């Protein structure tokens, strides 16, 4: 999902607060989050004071950097129930997903070249898989990938997953939580199926971290991707969890070089970034219950307010198995682009993605069975740690007023209100 184009510059201090609420209001926390001030504080010494290279083994500058990395590695591991040695620091989830998928492909080419994933995955999973389909690798042909379909709520059929696993399947990659709809995959059940069949299980947990419980042991996960900027850490740093026993997962690296991160990710470690990610993970773990309750309260208030005032609006995804901070709502009989333009004071994502020339409806929403029109008229609200109840109430007002205004100009809305079943209308197309 792409954020809607904004004509007005973002002023972090906000405009004069008429209603006590500063605009623009940020509700796009699935795109990125504001760095928590405590994270920034933790990072600062590592730019100009403790600036050593964590790989410098023979002086105190290096030792201090290394000690800070060790702490961060423990903090990130603790967030997902892993051991510190199983954490490989990378630049973000795009890299973590690429390393998991391409690293397994090359290392396990002797076992097979078949992968299983899903049509609603993030592009950072789909595109590396498509790359493997196109490119011969490890002295053999390209990969074969089965992309499972989803139902109306965004769920994969576990029997279809079971049936798709073959003797030459090397990896199943299914995300923990979807970034557009918030739908949660039953990762524990998926982990069990993969284990039964001796197939590695990778999950993109970028949206899940800090918002749902993650435990690589209980959930049978072999590889897991994280990105700090999605949970109040800095951009440009992430981690891949790589299981070390039962089974020990081996990966071919994407980058060759100094052999950092046990040979899986060469390159001087981003010490301030990693320290920030560690602190963000600690905050996510320590404040988990409070944070989830806060997010759920705000999200439910927002959603109920919108559904009450914008009659006919529909929520996408699975309401009973969904991320606590996210609400994806379609507004029928409203032209999507006009809606996004009309609510400039609210920073959200739309159900349209910018391609080179045009606005394309979201492939995720289309996979759920939404038509192009409805996908275009969808909005993803994703709340965060720093949102308030007053902001939610302000946003309900802005959005529902605009929906009402646009519907008043829509002949389709008029017909719908007159009881015309629009799916049965025979349109006169010239
Ligand atoms: C944001 C996101 C990514 C990409 O993460 P980066 O760290 O920005 O590369 C991958 N997968 C999902 C589900 C995401 O939400």
């Amino acid at each position: 999902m792409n954020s809607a184009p904004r004509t007005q510059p973002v002023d972090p201090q906000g405009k004069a607060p008429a209603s006590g609420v500063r605009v623009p209001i940020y509700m796009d926390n699935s795109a990125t989050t504001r760095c928590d001030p405590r994270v920034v504080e933790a990072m600062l010494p590592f730019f100009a004071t403790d600036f050593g290279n964590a790989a410098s083994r023979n002086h105190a500058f290096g030792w201090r950097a290394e000690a800070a990395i060790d702490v961060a590695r423990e903090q990130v591991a603790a967030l997902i129930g892993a051991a510190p040695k199983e954490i490989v620091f990378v630049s973000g989830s795009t890299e973590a997903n690429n390393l998991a998928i391409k690293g397994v492909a090359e290392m396990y080419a002797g076992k097979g070249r078949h992968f299983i994933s899903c049509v609603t995955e993030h592009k950072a999973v789909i595109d590396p898989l498509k790359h493997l389909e196109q490119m011969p690798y490890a002295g053999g042909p390209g990969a074969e990938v089965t992309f499972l379909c989803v139902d109306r709520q965004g769920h994969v059929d576990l029997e279809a997953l079971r049936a798709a696993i073959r003797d030459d399947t090397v990896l199943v990659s299914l995300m923990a939580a979807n970034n557009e709809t918030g739908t949660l995959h039953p990762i524990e059940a998926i982990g069990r199926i993969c284990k039964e069949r001796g197939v590695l299980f990778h999950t993109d947990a970028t949206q899940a971290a800090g918002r749902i419980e993650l435990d690589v042991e209980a959930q049978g996960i072999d590889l897991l991707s994280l990105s700090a900027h999605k949970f109040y850490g800095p951009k440009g740093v992430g981690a891949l969890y790589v299981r070390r026993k039962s089974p020990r997962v081996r990966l071919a690296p994407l980058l060759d070089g100094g052999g950092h991160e046990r040979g899986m990710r060469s390159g001087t470690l981003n010490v301030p970034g990693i320290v920030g990610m560690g602190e963000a993970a600690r905050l996510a773990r320590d404040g988990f219950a409070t944070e989830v309750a806060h997010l759920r309260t705000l999200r439910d208030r927002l959603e109920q307010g919108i559904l009450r005032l914008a009659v006919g609006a529909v929520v996408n995804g699975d309401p009973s198995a969904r991320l606590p901070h996210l609400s994806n709502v379609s507004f029928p009989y409203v032209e999507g682009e006009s809606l996004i333009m009309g609510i400039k004071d609210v920073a959200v994502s739309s159900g349209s993605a910018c391609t080179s020339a045009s606005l394309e409806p979201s492939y995720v929403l289309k996979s759920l069975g939404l038509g192009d029109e409805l996908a275009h008229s969808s909005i993803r609200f994703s709340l965060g740690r720093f949102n308030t109840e007053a902001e939610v109430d302000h946003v309900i007002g802005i959005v529902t007023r605009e929906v009402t205004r646009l519907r008043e100009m829509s002949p389709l809305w008029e017909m719908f209100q007159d009881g015309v079943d629009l799916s049965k209308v025979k349109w006169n197309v010239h």
Side-chain angles (χ1 to χ4, degrees):
M1 287 201 144
N2 281 11
S3 294
R6 290 285 175 266
T7 48
Q8 84 196 71
V10 173
D11 171 6
Q13 297 307 311
K15 281 197 268 182
S19 59
V21 171
R22 282 175 179 158
V23 293
I25 297 168
Y26 192 73
M27 287 201 181
D28 205 11
N29 286 273
S30 280
T32 194
T33 55
R34 170 184 163 192
C35 229
D36 191 297
R38 293 165 290 184
V39 167
V40 177
E41 193 68 24
M43 291 170 70
L44 286 176
F46 294 92
F47 287 100
T49 312
D50 294 327
F51 58 83
N53 184 328
S56 298
R57 287 285 148 75
N58 42 20
H59 52 67
F61 296 90
W63 301 331
R64 271 204 292 277
E66 194 189 17
I69 296 287
D70 288 346
V71 171
R73 206 182 290 283
E74 280 172 27
Q75 291 168 324
V76 171
L79 182 64
I80 58 169
K85 277 188 172 166
E86 297 175 308
I87 300 300
V88 174
F89 285 115
V90 296
S91 63
S93 279
T94 300
E95 185 184 342
N97 291 342
N98 271 269
L99 176 56
I101 290 166
K102 293 174 181 167
V104 162
E106 191 177 334
M107 193 56 89
Y108 294 83
K111 187 197 171 201
R113 291 166 188 269
H114 179 241
F115 292 76
I116 299 172
S117 188
C118 175
V119 291
T120 55
E121 290 292 315
H122 193 277
K123 288 288 183 196
V125 163
I126 292 178
D127 286 358
L129 288 168
K130 289 198 167 155
H131 181 100
L132 291 175
E133 279 182 321
Q134 302 301 319
M135 290 284 284
Y137 62 88
E144 260 187 81
V145 186
T146 302
F147 287 102
L148 299 170
C149 293
V150 294
D151 64 17
R152 186 78 202 188
Q153 296 189 321
H155 286 298
V156 286
D157 176 357
L158 294 185
E159 285 315 309
L161 166 63
R162 222 185 272 277
I165 298 177
R166 319 189 311 207
D167 291 341
D168 64 339
T169 305
V170 287
L171 183 75
V172 169
S173 180
L174 291 170
M175 69 205 319
N178 187 272
N179 49 298
E180 291 192 32
T181 60
T183 295
L184 307 179
H185 278 155
I187 43 179
E188 195 169 337
I190 293 167
R192 216 174 302 124
I193 292 170
C194 292
K195 189 127 291 185
E196 274 165 30
R197 300 292 301 270
V199 176
L200 296 177
F201 174 34
H202 165 249
T203 193
D204 177 348
T206 312
Q207 294 290 334
R211 299 178 179 133
I212 62 165
E213 296 273 6
L214 290 171
D215 183 330
V216 291
E217 291 307 325
Q219 294 163 337
I221 296 162
D222 298 309
L223 294 149
L224 179 148
S225 303
L226 292 173
S227 181
H229 78 94
K230 301 287 177 89
F231 57 95
Y232 312 98
K235 291 165 188 58
V237 56
L240 180 65
Y241 156 78
V242 185
R243 176 174 287 281
R244 263 170 73 90
K245 47 177 194 279
S246 58
R248 181 187 185 91
V249 178
R250 295 181 317 127
L251 293 180
L254 296 174
L255 304 179
D256 298 307
H260 307 74
E261 298 297 272
R262 291 183 294 119
M264 283 184 267
R265 211 289 191 165
S266 287
T268 299
L269 293 181
N270 169 5
V271 181
I274 291 168
V275 166
M277 183 174 191
E279 177 68 0
R282 185 186 72 77
L283 294 171
R285 187 158 171 263
D286 287 356
F288 184 78
T290 329
E291 174 122 342
V292 169
H294 172 70
L295 294 172
R296 185 166 282 132
T297 305
L298 292 185
R299 191 273 311 273
D300 290 348
R301 184 181 180 93
L302 176 72
E303 195 168 276
Q304 283 155 18
I306 286 175
L307 293 181
R308 186 162 45 82
L309 294 169
V311 179
V314 275
V315 175
N316 298 308
D318 181 353
S320 61
R322 191 164 48 138
L323 287 169
H325 75 301
L326 191 151
S327 179
N328 187 310
V329 185
S330 297
F331 297 93
Y333 315 111
V334 171
E335 207 266 308
E337 218 172 325
S338 312
L339 177 58
I340 286 286
M341 294 309 290
I343 58 166
K344 283 200 200 67
D345 282 346
V346 190
V348 289
S349 282
S350 80
S352 312
C354 290
T355 58
S356 51
S358 62
L359 277 181
E360 288 294 320
S362 146
Y363 68 94
V364 171
L365 295 179
K366 287 193 74 173
S367 307
L368 267 59
L370 271 72
D372 288 10
E373 286 302 313
L374 209 50
H376 277 306
S377 77
S378 303
I379 291 183
R380 178 188 72 183
F381 300 91
S382 48
L383 293 135
R385 182 177 291 170
F386 304 109
N387 284 124
T388 63
E389 204 164 87
E391 287 179 328
V392 166
D393 292 345
H394 200 67
V395 169
I396 292 170
I398 294 174
V399 172
T400 55
R401 270 196 301 276
E402 187 61 13
V403 168
T404 306
R405 195 183 71 86
L406 291 170
R407 277 176 174 174
E408 277 162 6
M409 308 189 302
S410 158
L412 290 179
W413 173 243
E414 214 167 289
M415 288 167 77
F416 169 75
Q417 287 202 308
D418 290 343
V420 179
D421 183 349
L422 292 168
S423 65
K424 298 219 171 75
V425 172
K426 289 221 168 37
W427 302 100
N428 225 339
V429 182
H430 298 282

